[in-house]
Amino acid sequence: MILLTRKADFSAAHFYRVDAWSDEENVRAFGRCANRNGHGHNYTLEVTVAGEVDPVSGFVVDLKALKEIMNREVVSIYDHRHLNLEVPEFKSTVPTTENIAIAVWKRLEGKVPGAKLHRVRVYEMPDLFADYMGGA
């Protein structure tokens, strides 16, 4: 089995807030990130797929096709958006780096022909990342 990773970048705004909590509880848990005006980040997305090398093409998956899938399913939907306000999965889920990784997995799972999704890694620049390898 071969692991193959493709990278993409996007920028998005968000805030952290649990609607069932009071303003004080949100500020206590999330600090300045609870501000409903939000703030932005640059993100790097890495998608790793696993599979066997096709003996004829030499590919596990065509990297151009993987890039197109990532762009269609994630980047075009998240890039330059306010995640809480514009992306359906974050209307009721706090868009932490961890939850973004899980949401990306759900968006990509089963959509890469000839390969199995192995890992999604989301970096919130400059130095925070979350890995998701399925199972939730």
Side-chain angles (χ1 to χ4, degrees), residues 31-72:
R32 296 183 316 176
C33 295
N35 182 328
R36 283 189 187 270
N37 292 320
H39 61 280
H41 294 283
N42 294 317
Y43 294 93
T44 295
L45 167 65
E46 292 179 358
V47 174
T48 302
V49 296
E52 299 300 327
V53 175
D54 180 281
V56 176
S57 71
F59 291 153
V60 169
V61 64
D62 180 344
L63 286 176
K64 183 177 182 238
L66 180 56
K67 180 180 179 179
E68 289 170 359
I69 293 165
M70 290 168 62
N71 283 334
R72 180 184 71 237

Side-chain angles (χ1 to χ4, degrees), residues 102-117:
I102 293 168
V104 168
W105 180 282
K106 289 177 181 177
R107 284 183 168 273
L108 295 177
E109 192 170 29
K111 294 183 179 164
V112 182
K116 183 177 189 290
L117 196 56

Side-chain angles (χ1 to χ4, degrees), residues 71-84:
N71 283 334
R72 180 184 71 237
E73 299 295 329
V74 181
V75 176
S76 68
I77 295 164
Y78 290 8
D79 192 36
H80 286 83
R81 301 283 186 248
H82 193 298
L83 298 177
N84 305 76

